[in-house]
Every structure is written in structure tokens, then in C-alpha cells.
Amino acid sequence: MTPVSTRLVRLLNMVPYFQANPRITYAEAAADLGVSVNQLRDDLNQLWMCGLPGYGPGDLIDFEFSGDTIEVTFTAGIDRPLRLTSPEATGVLVALRALLDVPGMVDPEAARSAIAKIESATGKAGHGMEGGAVDEPAPAESEAAAAVRTAVRTDRALAIDYYSASHDALSSRVVDPIRVVLVADHSYLEAWCRTAEGVRLFRLDRIVDARVLDEPSVPPPPAVQAGPDTSLFDPDTADPSLPTATLIVERSAAWMFDYYPLRVVREFPDGSCEATMTYASDQWMARFVLGFGSAVRVREPEQLADRVRQAAVAALDAYRVGTSQNE
């Protein structure tokens, strides 16, 4: 996947570039812009949908393709590299800084370089932001996240070691990457899993190891065209066949909302709250709740509450037996 900052800068400058280089070939333009011919075609298709208000014929950026050459026939006013207004620059800077904290979404070095260039051009370095970006080192990126980005960008298959929180187990599998998506403040690799023979979402911070393979990524075309399915993470659109638990979460466990897909239903004066969470396995959900001790309680469904109680009683009995044997 092309880093957001890199593609944005390239798209903003492509129309002036083609205007200055009429009848340039795809291969020459791709080499100058540092992208593949396929990426260049994708960029041109993107630009073809941009233009002036009205967004009809005569309003959109237009090109003429003759043989293997490209020429701009309508620039929509983008006759020179664009300059961001102060609010626009601030918005881009905030977005880039936020993406830096999400594994796998952008190349940290490229994003940091883009931030420095924007700040330098707009005079924002060290002003109005949390310090200047020029002297800040790029955040460390895990080898696994870097491998995922490389595999997505180069369309290569990927071997991963993945920790599944629902099964509390580490598994190894080969996947065909499709894209990296952002869901609820976490980045996920969407890929065709050859083991499961289906599309799966792998949270990047749970990919323990990743190795780019010397073979192409070949996900089935329907899987690529369908787009990412993130309904499980949205309580309003989650699969209705999956059960939903209603939990009482004490204030001391409020940090869990940063890591798990819960929705607050109501808050109480003491700082606790009632929240709902969709889940797929009763066994996993009971273990999940037990891990928080008395800080999280199940209100419903009743069968899940019973399961949690039974597991807690069994654990206490086992503890008592172990203690008596050691005395």
C-alpha cells in the first residue's frame, strides 16, 4: 500500500508535471515519479474523478491517451504545484501525526519527512504543534509491520506468526495480503488466509513475526473487490447471529475501551458504566470477563453470567485444594 503522505504529494503535483511534459510515455512518467506503471494508472484514474464544483463533463481533470503517451487536456486550475492554506496544512499535519502512531499505516520515515517539508513550507515548525518535527526521530517500526507494508506494496505473499486473543494461541500461516485498514484506532492486515480459505483481518500489533515470500500475492478477485468487512467491530452493523453481552465495567477497568470493541450504553455517578460487546465464543467471552476479576461483571445474557460464576467457583475450589495440600 502506498503511504498516504507520499501519494498525496504525488497527486497534488501530477497535473503540473504532465503539463510540463506533454506526450510523455507511461514508462518515463512512472520512472520520474518513482512508481510502477500500474500505480501510475491508478493515480490517473483517481485524478480523473477530481475537478471543479459541478463535477460533470468539462469540470473534471482530463487527459488524452494516445498510444503509450499521456497529455493533460484540462487542468481544472491545477497549473502549478498546489500550496496548502494554513488550516489545510494543519489538518494534514494532524492526520500524519496520528497515522504515525498506528502500526503499518505509513512509512514512518516518509511520513516524518512529509511533516518536516510541510512545516518548513508553511512556517509551522515549532509553532502551534507539539514541537518541530525536523529534529524528532521517526518512531520505531516493528519488523513485522514493515514486512506487512512491503508485502502489500509489492503484492507479495506473506508468512506470519499470529497471536489469536480469542483462542489464546499462536499460529503460523501463509496469507495473500489485500490491504491495510484502520478500524477503531487499530490497524489490520486484510488478507486471504490460505489455511482458512477465506478473508481474515489480522491486527498488526498481534502479528508476532512476518516474512515476505518470493511469490506473488494472489487473493481471489471477488475478495479484493468486496472491500473490507469490519461489521464485527461496529455494534450497529454486527452480524445479528452473534451474541452480545451487557457488561458492568468498573472505573478501574475503563482502559479496556481502548483495546476492545465495546460500546458504552450508560454511565453511572461512581465512574462505572454499562457497555455491550459482540462476541463469537462463550468460552472465550467467559475467560475474557474472568481476566478482569471483580472489575467487570456480566449483566446478560444469563447463560454467560452462569458460565462465568461456575468458572470462578471452580477456580476458587482448585485454589483451596492446592492450598490445603501445601499446608
Side-chain angles (χ1 to χ4, degrees):
M1 184 183 71
T2 303
V4 175
S5 59
T6 302
R7 192 178 190 210
L8 174 62
V9 172
R10 187 172 66 249
L11 287 172
L12 290 176
N13 288 279
M14 278 182 65
V15 173
Y17 167 82
F18 283 115
Q19 191 175 33
N21 296 275
R23 297 294 179 184
I24 193 169
T25 66
Y26 279 96
E28 292 170 335
D32 285 348
L33 296 169
V35 298
S36 67
V37 172
N38 285 338
Q39 180 63 60
L40 176 62
R41 293 183 188 277
D42 288 343
D43 290 344
L44 290 171
N45 287 335
Q46 181 74 52
L47 285 172
W48 228 342
M49 303 301 293
C50 302
L52 300 171
Y55 306 108
D59 300 321
L60 303 177
I61 295 171
D62 203 1
F63 299 90
E64 179 182 320
F65 306 104
S66 178
D68 192 41
T69 64
I70 309 163
E71 184 172 8
V72 178
T73 57
F74 181 64
T75 66
I78 307 181
D79 299 312
R80 58 183 181 276
L82 298 181
R83 290 184 177 274
L84 298 175
T85 65
S86 182
E88 289 171 340
T90 299
V92 172
L93 288 172
V94 170
L96 285 174
R97 287 179 179 274
L99 288 173
L100 278 172
D101 295 328
V102 184
M105 293 302 294
V106 296
D107 180 339
E109 291 288 352
R112 182 62 64 191
S113 175
I115 288 172
K117 290 176 181 177
I118 294 173
E119 289 185 333
S120 176
T122 59
K124 287 184 175 290
H127 301 285
M129 306 296 291
E130 296 179 1
V134 176
D135 297 327
E136 295 178 8
E141 182 180 40
S142 71
E143 293 182 2
V148 168
R149 284 195 305 99
T150 299
V152 173
R153 186 179 67 251
T154 60
D155 294 325
R156 312 303 292 179
L158 194 67
I160 64 173
D161 293 334
Y162 186 72
Y163 171 71
S164 173
S166 61
H167 296 91
D168 191 24
L170 188 68
S171 64
S172 299
R173 62 189 80 194
V174 174
V175 301
D176 296 295
I178 299 175
R179 59 180 69 88
V180 174
V181 296
L182 182 64
V183 183
D185 298 327
H186 291 291
S187 51
Y188 292 79
L189 167 66
E190 183 192 16
W192 177 265
C193 177
R194 298 183 185 180
T195 301
E197 296 186 345
V199 175
R200 295 291 186 270
L201 290 176
F202 302 97
R203 211 168 100 173
L204 259 73
D205 60 359
R206 292 180 182 163
I207 298 178
V208 179
D209 188 31
R211 300 170 299 284
V212 181
L213 302 180
D214 189 22
E215 58 179 284
S217 174
V218 285
V224 178
Q225 297 163 4
D229 180 9
T230 60
S231 59
L232 180 61
F233 302 90
D234 186 349
D236 294 324
T237 60
D239 186 344
S241 66
L242 294 177
T244 297
T246 301
L247 308 174
I248 301 299
V249 181
E250 298 296 331
R251 185 174 183 176
S252 61
W255 58 267
M256 67 188 295
F257 290 96
D258 293 332
Y259 296 92
Y260 300 99
L262 292 96
R263 179 177 62 175
V264 175
V265 176
R266 55 175 172 164
E267 299 179 354
F268 302 111
D270 63 356
S272 63
C273 66
E274 180 180 303
T276 59
M277 179 175 175
T278 300
Y279 61 97
S281 163
D282 283 347
Q283 181 180 4
W284 179 87
M285 193 63 187
R287 188 169 65 244
F288 172 79
V289 172
L290 284 168
F292 291 93
S294 61
V296 177
R297 305 188 307 277
V298 177
R299 170 163 287 182
E300 57 183 32
E302 186 60 33
Q303 63 267 25
L304 177 62
D306 287 341
R307 186 166 192 148
V308 171
R309 280 193 292 268
Q310 292 167 9
V313 169
L316 286 172
D317 289 343
Y319 175 77
R320 292 191 187 100
V321 171
T323 301
S324 63
Q325 290 176 346
N326 291 329
E327 290 178 349

Coordinates of all heavy atoms in Angstrom, one line a residue, residues 35-105:
V35 N 7.2 5.4 -9.3 CA 6.1 4.4 -9.0 C 6.1 3.4 -10.2 O 6.8 3.6 -11.2 CB 4.7 5.1 -8.9 CG1 4.7 6.0 -7.8 CG2 4.4 5.8 -10.2
S36 N 5.3 2.3 -10.0 CA 5.2 1.4 -11.1 C 4.2 1.9 -12.1 O 3.4 2.9 -11.8 CB 4.7 0.0 -10.5 OG 3.3 0.2 -10.0
V37 N 4.2 1.3 -13.3 CA 3.2 1.7 -14.3 C 1.8 1.5 -13.8 O 0.9 2.3 -14.0 CB 3.5 1.0 -15.6 CG1 2.3 1.3 -16.6 CG2 4.8 1.4 -16.2
N38 N 1.6 0.4 -13.1 CA 0.2 0.1 -12.6 C -0.2 1.1 -11.6 O -1.4 1.6 -11.6 CB 0.2 -1.3 -11.9 CG 0.2 -2.4 -13.0 OD1 -0.2 -2.2 -14.1 ND2 0.6 -3.6 -12.6
Q39 N 0.7 1.6 -10.7 CA 0.4 2.6 -9.7 C 0.1 3.9 -10.4 O -0.8 4.7 -10.0 CB 1.5 2.8 -8.7 CG 1.2 3.9 -7.7 CD 0.1 3.5 -6.8 OE1 0.1 2.5 -6.1 NE2 -1.0 4.4 -6.8
L40 N 0.8 4.2 -11.5 CA 0.6 5.4 -12.3 C -0.8 5.4 -12.9 O -1.5 6.4 -12.8 CB 1.6 5.6 -13.4 CG 1.5 6.8 -14.3 CD1 1.6 8.1 -13.6 CD2 2.5 6.7 -15.5
R41 N -1.2 4.3 -13.4 CA -2.6 4.2 -14.0 C -3.6 4.4 -12.9 O -4.7 5.1 -13.1 CB -2.8 2.8 -14.6 CG -1.9 2.6 -15.9 CD -2.2 1.2 -16.5 NE -1.3 0.9 -17.6 CZ -1.4 1.3 -18.8 NH1 -2.4 2.1 -19.1 NH2 -0.5 1.0 -19.7
D42 N -3.4 3.8 -11.7 CA -4.3 4.0 -10.6 C -4.4 5.5 -10.2 O -5.5 6.0 -9.9 CB -3.9 3.2 -9.3 CG -4.1 1.7 -9.5 OD1 -4.9 1.3 -10.4 OD2 -3.5 0.9 -8.7
D43 N -3.3 6.2 -10.2 CA -3.2 7.6 -9.9 C -4.0 8.4 -10.9 O -4.8 9.4 -10.6 CB -1.8 8.1 -9.8 CG -1.1 7.6 -8.6 OD1 -1.7 7.1 -7.6 OD2 0.2 7.7 -8.5
L44 N -3.8 8.1 -12.2 CA -4.5 8.8 -13.2 C -6.0 8.6 -13.1 O -6.8 9.5 -13.3 CB -4.0 8.4 -14.6 CG -2.6 8.8 -15.0 CD1 -2.1 8.1 -16.2 CD2 -2.5 10.3 -15.1
N45 N -6.4 7.4 -12.8 CA -7.9 7.1 -12.6 C -8.4 7.9 -11.4 O -9.6 8.3 -11.5 CB -8.1 5.6 -12.4 CG -7.9 4.8 -13.6 OD1 -8.1 5.3 -14.8 ND2 -7.5 3.5 -13.5
Q46 N -7.6 8.1 -10.4 CA -8.0 8.9 -9.3 C -8.2 10.3 -9.7 O -9.2 11.0 -9.3 CB -7.0 8.8 -8.1 CG -7.3 9.5 -6.9 CD -8.4 8.9 -6.1 OE1 -8.4 7.7 -5.8 NE2 -9.5 9.6 -5.7
L47 N -7.2 10.9 -10.4 CA -7.3 12.3 -10.8 C -8.4 12.5 -11.8 O -9.0 13.6 -11.8 CB -6.0 12.7 -11.5 CG -4.8 12.9 -10.6 CD1 -3.5 13.0 -11.4 CD2 -5.0 14.1 -9.7
W48 N -8.8 11.5 -12.5 CA -9.9 11.7 -13.5 C -11.2 12.0 -12.8 O -12.2 12.5 -13.4 CB -10.0 10.4 -14.3 CG -10.1 10.6 -15.8 CD1 -10.4 11.7 -16.4 CD2 -9.9 9.6 -16.8 NE1 -10.4 11.5 -17.8 CE2 -10.1 10.2 -18.0 CE3 -9.5 8.2 -16.7 CZ2 -9.9 9.5 -19.2 CZ3 -9.4 7.6 -17.9 CH2 -9.6 8.2 -19.2
M49 N -11.3 11.6 -11.5 CA -12.5 11.9 -10.7 C -12.4 13.2 -9.9 O -13.3 13.4 -9.1 CB -12.8 10.7 -9.8 CG -12.8 9.3 -10.4 SD -14.2 9.3 -11.7 CE -15.6 9.4 -10.6
C50 N -11.4 14.0 -10.1 CA -11.2 15.2 -9.4 C -11.5 16.4 -10.3 O -11.2 16.3 -11.5 CB -9.8 15.3 -8.8 SG -9.4 13.9 -7.6
G51 N -11.9 17.5 -9.7 CA -12.1 18.7 -10.5 C -12.8 19.8 -9.8 O -12.7 19.9 -8.6
L52 N -13.6 20.6 -10.6 CA -14.3 21.8 -10.0 C -15.7 21.4 -9.6 O -16.3 20.4 -10.1 CB -14.3 22.9 -11.1 CG -12.9 23.3 -11.6 CD1 -13.1 24.3 -12.8 CD2 -12.2 24.0 -10.5
P53 N -16.3 22.2 -8.7 CA -17.7 22.0 -8.3 C -18.6 21.9 -9.5 O -18.4 22.6 -10.5 CB -18.0 23.3 -7.5 CG -16.6 23.7 -6.9 CD -15.7 23.4 -8.0
G54 N -19.5 21.0 -9.4 CA -20.3 20.6 -10.5 C -20.0 19.2 -10.9 O -20.8 18.3 -11.1
Y55 N -18.6 18.9 -11.0 CA -18.1 17.6 -11.2 C -18.7 16.8 -12.3 O -19.0 15.6 -12.2 CB -18.2 16.8 -9.8 CG -17.5 17.5 -8.7 CD1 -18.3 18.1 -7.7 CD2 -16.1 17.7 -8.6 CE1 -17.7 18.8 -6.6 CE2 -15.5 18.4 -7.6 CZ -16.3 19.0 -6.6 OH -15.7 19.6 -5.6
G56 N -19.0 17.5 -13.4 CA -19.6 16.9 -14.5 C -18.6 17.1 -15.7 O -17.4 17.5 -15.5
P57 N -19.0 16.7 -16.9 CA -18.1 16.9 -18.1 C -17.7 18.3 -18.2 O -18.5 19.2 -18.1 CB -19.1 16.4 -19.2 CG -20.1 15.5 -18.6 CD -20.3 16.1 -17.2
G58 N -16.4 18.5 -18.4 CA -15.9 19.8 -18.6 C -15.4 20.4 -17.2 O -14.8 21.5 -17.2
D59 N -15.7 19.7 -16.1 CA -15.3 20.2 -14.8 C -14.2 19.4 -14.2 O -13.4 19.9 -13.4 CB -16.5 20.1 -13.8 CG -17.7 21.0 -14.2 OD1 -17.5 22.1 -14.8 OD2 -18.8 20.5 -14.1
L60 N -14.1 18.1 -14.7 CA -13.1 17.2 -14.1 C -11.8 17.3 -14.9 O -11.7 17.5 -16.1 CB -13.6 15.8 -14.1 CG -14.9 15.6 -13.3 CD1 -15.4 14.1 -13.5 CD2 -14.8 15.9 -11.9
I61 N -10.7 17.0 -14.2 CA -9.4 16.9 -14.8 C -9.4 15.9 -15.9 O -10.0 14.8 -15.7 CB -8.3 16.5 -13.8 CG1 -8.1 17.6 -12.7 CG2 -7.0 16.2 -14.4 CD1 -7.3 17.2 -11.5
D62 N -8.9 16.2 -17.1 CA -9.0 15.3 -18.2 C -7.6 15.1 -18.9 O -6.7 16.0 -18.8 CB -10.0 15.8 -19.2 CG -10.5 14.7 -20.1 OD1 -10.2 13.6 -19.9 OD2 -11.3 15.1 -21.0
F63 N -7.4 13.9 -19.4 CA -6.2 13.5 -20.1 C -6.5 13.0 -21.5 O -7.6 12.4 -21.7 CB -5.4 12.5 -19.3 CG -5.0 12.9 -17.9 CD1 -5.8 12.7 -16.8 CD2 -3.8 13.5 -17.7 CE1 -5.5 13.0 -15.6 CE2 -3.4 13.9 -16.4 CZ -4.2 13.7 -15.4
E64 N -5.5 13.0 -22.3 CA -5.7 12.4 -23.6 C -4.6 11.3 -23.7 O -3.4 11.6 -23.4 CB -5.5 13.4 -24.8 CG -5.5 12.7 -26.2 CD -5.3 13.7 -27.3 OE1 -5.8 14.8 -27.2 OE2 -4.6 13.3 -28.2
F65 N -5.0 10.1 -24.0 CA -4.0 9.0 -24.1 C -3.9 8.5 -25.6 O -4.9 8.1 -26.2 CB -4.5 7.8 -23.2 CG -4.8 8.2 -21.8 CD1 -6.1 8.4 -21.3 CD2 -3.7 8.4 -20.9 CE1 -6.3 8.7 -20.0 CE2 -4.0 8.8 -19.6 CZ -5.3 8.9 -19.2
S66 N -2.8 8.7 -26.1 CA -2.5 8.3 -27.5 C -1.4 7.3 -27.5 O -0.2 7.7 -27.2 CB -2.1 9.6 -28.3 OG -1.8 9.3 -29.6
G67 N -1.7 6.1 -27.9 CA -0.7 5.1 -27.9 C -0.2 4.8 -26.4 O -1.0 4.5 -25.5
D68 N 1.0 5.1 -26.2 CA 1.6 4.9 -24.8 C 1.9 6.2 -24.2 O 2.7 6.3 -23.2 CB 2.9 4.0 -24.9 CG 3.3 3.5 -23.6 OD1 2.4 3.1 -22.7 OD2 4.5 3.5 -23.3
T69 N 1.3 7.3 -24.7 CA 1.7 8.6 -24.2 C 0.5 9.3 -23.4 O -0.7 8.9 -23.6 CB 2.1 9.6 -25.3 OG1 1.0 9.8 -26.2 CG2 3.3 9.0 -26.0
I70 N 0.8 10.3 -22.6 CA -0.2 10.9 -21.8 C -0.1 12.4 -22.0 O 1.1 13.0 -22.0 CB 0.0 10.6 -20.3 CG1 0.2 9.1 -20.1 CG2 -1.1 11.2 -19.4 CD1 0.8 8.7 -18.7
E71 N -1.2 13.1 -22.1 CA -1.2 14.6 -22.2 C -2.4 15.1 -21.4 O -3.5 14.6 -21.5 CB -1.2 15.0 -23.6 CG -1.1 16.6 -23.8 CD -0.9 17.0 -25.2 OE1 -1.0 16.1 -26.1 OE2 -0.6 18.2 -25.4
V72 N -2.2 16.2 -20.7 CA -3.3 16.9 -20.0 C -4.1 17.7 -21.0 O -3.5 18.5 -21.7 CB -2.8 17.8 -18.8 CG1 -3.9 18.5 -18.1 CG2 -2.0 16.9 -17.8
T73 N -5.4 17.6 -21.0 CA -6.2 18.4 -21.8 C -7.1 19.4 -21.0 O -7.6 20.4 -21.6 CB -7.2 17.5 -22.7 OG1 -8.0 16.7 -21.9 CG2 -6.3 16.7 -23.7
F74 N -7.3 19.1 -19.7 CA -8.0 20.1 -18.9 C -7.4 20.0 -17.5 O -7.4 18.9 -16.9 CB -9.5 19.8 -18.8 CG -10.2 20.8 -18.0 CD1 -10.3 22.1 -18.3 CD2 -10.9 20.4 -16.8 CE1 -11.0 23.0 -17.5 CE2 -11.6 21.2 -16.0 CZ -11.6 22.6 -16.4
T75 N -6.9 21.1 -16.9 CA -6.2 21.0 -15.7 C -7.1 21.4 -14.5 O -6.7 21.2 -13.3 CB -5.0 22.1 -15.7 OG1 -5.6 23.4 -15.7 CG2 -4.1 21.8 -16.8
A76 N -8.3 21.9 -14.7 CA -9.2 22.3 -13.6 C -8.5 23.3 -12.7 O -8.8 23.4 -11.5 CB -9.7 21.1 -12.8
G77 N -7.6 24.1 -13.2 CA -7.0 25.1 -12.5 C -5.7 24.7 -11.7 O -5.0 25.6 -11.1
I78 N -5.3 23.4 -11.8 CA -4.1 23.0 -11.2 C -3.0 23.1 -12.2 O -2.5 22.2 -12.7 CB -4.2 21.5 -10.7 CG1 -5.5 21.4 -9.8 CG2 -3.0 21.1 -9.9 CD1 -5.7 20.0 -9.3
D79 N -2.5 24.4 -12.4 CA -1.5 24.7 -13.3 C -0.1 24.7 -12.7 O 0.9 24.7 -13.5 CB -1.8 26.0 -14.0 CG -3.1 26.0 -14.7 OD1 -3.4 25.1 -15.5 OD2 -3.9 27.0 -14.5
R80 N 0.0 24.6 -11.4 CA 1.3 24.6 -10.8 C 1.1 23.8 -9.4 O 0.0 23.7 -9.0 CB 1.8 26.0 -10.5 CG 0.9 26.9 -9.7 CD 1.5 28.3 -9.5 NE 0.6 29.1 -8.7 CZ -0.4 29.8 -9.1 NH1 -0.7 29.7 -10.4 NH2 -1.1 30.6 -8.3
P81 N 2.2 23.4 -8.9 CA 2.0 22.6 -7.6 C 1.3 23.4 -6.6 O 1.5 24.6 -6.4 CB 3.5 22.4 -7.2 CG 4.3 22.4 -8.4 CD 3.6 23.4 -9.3
L82 N 0.3 22.8 -5.9 CA -0.6 23.5 -5.0 C 0.1 23.9 -3.7 O 1.0 23.2 -3.3 CB -1.8 22.6 -4.7 CG -2.7 22.2 -5.9 CD1 -3.9 21.4 -5.4 CD2 -3.2 23.5 -6.6
R83 N -0.4 25.0 -3.1 CA 0.1 25.4 -1.8 C -1.1 25.2 -0.8 O -2.2 25.7 -1.1 CB 0.5 26.8 -1.8 CG 1.8 27.1 -2.6 CD 2.3 28.5 -2.4 NE 3.6 28.7 -3.1 CZ 4.8 28.5 -2.5 NH1 4.8 28.1 -1.3 NH2 5.9 28.7 -3.2
L84 N -0.9 24.5 0.3 CA -1.9 24.3 1.3 C -2.1 25.6 2.0 O -1.2 26.4 2.3 CB -1.5 23.2 2.2 CG -1.3 21.8 1.6 CD1 -0.8 20.9 2.7 CD2 -2.6 21.3 1.1
T85 N -3.4 25.9 2.3 CA -3.7 27.0 3.2 C -3.3 26.6 4.6 O -3.0 25.4 4.9 CB -5.2 27.3 3.2 OG1 -5.9 26.2 3.7 CG2 -5.7 27.6 1.8
S86 N -3.2 27.6 5.5 CA -2.8 27.3 6.9 C -3.7 26.2 7.6 O -3.2 25.2 8.1 CB -2.8 28.5 7.8 OG -2.3 28.2 9.1
P87 N -5.1 26.3 7.5 CA -5.9 25.3 8.0 C -5.7 23.9 7.4 O -5.8 22.9 8.0 CB -7.4 25.8 7.8 CG -7.2 27.3 7.7 CD -5.9 27.5 7.0
E88 N -5.5 23.9 6.0 CA -5.3 22.7 5.3 C -4.0 22.0 5.8 O -4.0 20.8 6.0 CB -5.3 22.9 3.8 CG -6.7 23.3 3.2 CD -6.6 23.7 1.8 OE1 -5.5 24.1 1.3 OE2 -7.6 23.7 1.1
A89 N -3.0 22.8 5.9 CA -1.7 22.3 6.3 C -1.8 21.7 7.7 O -1.3 20.6 8.0 CB -0.6 23.4 6.3
T90 N -2.5 22.4 8.6 CA -2.7 21.9 10.0 C -3.4 20.6 10.0 O -3.1 19.7 10.7 CB -3.4 23.0 10.8 OG1 -2.7 24.2 10.9 CG2 -3.7 22.5 12.2
G91 N -4.5 20.5 9.2 CA -5.2 19.3 9.1 C -4.4 18.1 8.6 O -4.5 17.0 9.1
V92 N -3.5 18.4 7.6 CA -2.7 17.3 7.1 C -1.6 16.9 8.1 O -1.4 15.7 8.3 CB -2.0 17.8 5.8 CG1 -0.9 16.8 5.3 CG2 -3.0 18.0 4.6
L93 N -1.1 17.9 8.8 CA -0.1 17.6 9.8 C -0.7 16.7 11.0 O -0.1 15.8 11.4 CB 0.5 18.9 10.4 CG 1.4 19.7 9.5 CD1 1.8 21.0 10.1 CD2 2.7 18.9 9.2
V94 N -1.9 17.1 11.4 CA -2.5 16.4 12.5 C -2.8 14.9 12.0 O -2.6 14.0 12.8 CB -3.9 17.1 12.9 CG1 -4.7 16.2 13.8 CG2 -3.6 18.4 13.6
A95 N -3.3 14.8 10.8 CA -3.6 13.4 10.3 C -2.3 12.6 10.2 O -2.3 11.4 10.5 CB -4.3 13.5 8.9
L96 N -1.2 13.2 9.7 CA 0.0 12.5 9.5 C 0.6 12.1 10.9 O 1.1 10.9 11.1 CB 1.1 13.3 8.8 CG 0.8 13.4 7.3 CD1 1.8 14.4 6.7 CD2 1.0 12.1 6.6
R97 N 0.5 13.0 11.9 CA 1.0 12.6 13.2 C 0.2 11.5 13.8 O 0.7 10.6 14.5 CB 1.0 13.9 14.1 CG 2.0 14.9 13.8 CD 1.9 16.1 14.7 NE 3.0 17.1 14.4 CZ 4.2 17.1 14.9 NH1 4.5 16.1 15.7 NH2 5.1 18.0 14.6
A98 N -1.1 11.5 13.6 CA -2.0 10.4 14.1 C -1.6 9.1 13.5 O -1.5 8.1 14.1 CB -3.4 10.8 13.9
L99 N -1.4 9.1 12.1 CA -1.1 7.9 11.4 C 0.3 7.3 11.9 O 0.5 6.1 11.8 CB -1.1 8.1 9.9 CG -2.4 8.3 9.3 CD1 -2.3 8.8 7.8 CD2 -3.3 7.1 9.4
L100 N 1.2 8.2 12.3 CA 2.5 7.7 12.8 C 2.4 6.8 14.0 O 3.2 5.9 14.2 CB 3.4 8.9 13.2 CG 4.1 9.6 12.0 CD1 4.8 10.9 12.6 CD2 5.1 8.7 11.4
D101 N 1.3 6.9 14.7 CA 1.1 6.1 15.9 C 0.4 4.8 15.6 O 0.2 4.0 16.6 CB 0.3 6.9 17.0 CG 1.1 8.1 17.5 OD1 2.4 8.0 17.5 OD2 0.5 9.1 17.9
V102 N 0.0 4.6 14.4 CA -0.7 3.4 14.0 C 0.2 2.4 13.2 O 0.6 2.8 12.1 CB -2.0 3.7 13.2 CG1 -2.8 2.4 13.0 CG2 -2.9 4.7 14.0
P103 N 0.5 1.3 13.7 CA 1.4 0.4 13.0 C 1.0 0.0 11.6 O -0.2 -0.3 11.4 CB 1.5 -0.9 13.9 CG 1.0 -0.4 15.2 CD 0.0 0.7 15.0
G104 N 1.9 0.1 10.7 CA 1.7 -0.4 9.3 C 0.9 0.5 8.4 O 0.8 0.2 7.2
M105 N 0.4 1.6 8.9 CA -0.4 2.5 8.0 C 0.5 3.4 7.1 O 0.2 3.6 5.9 CB -1.3 3.4 8.9 CG -2.4 2.7 9.6 SD -3.5 1.7 8.6 CE -4.3 3.0 7.6

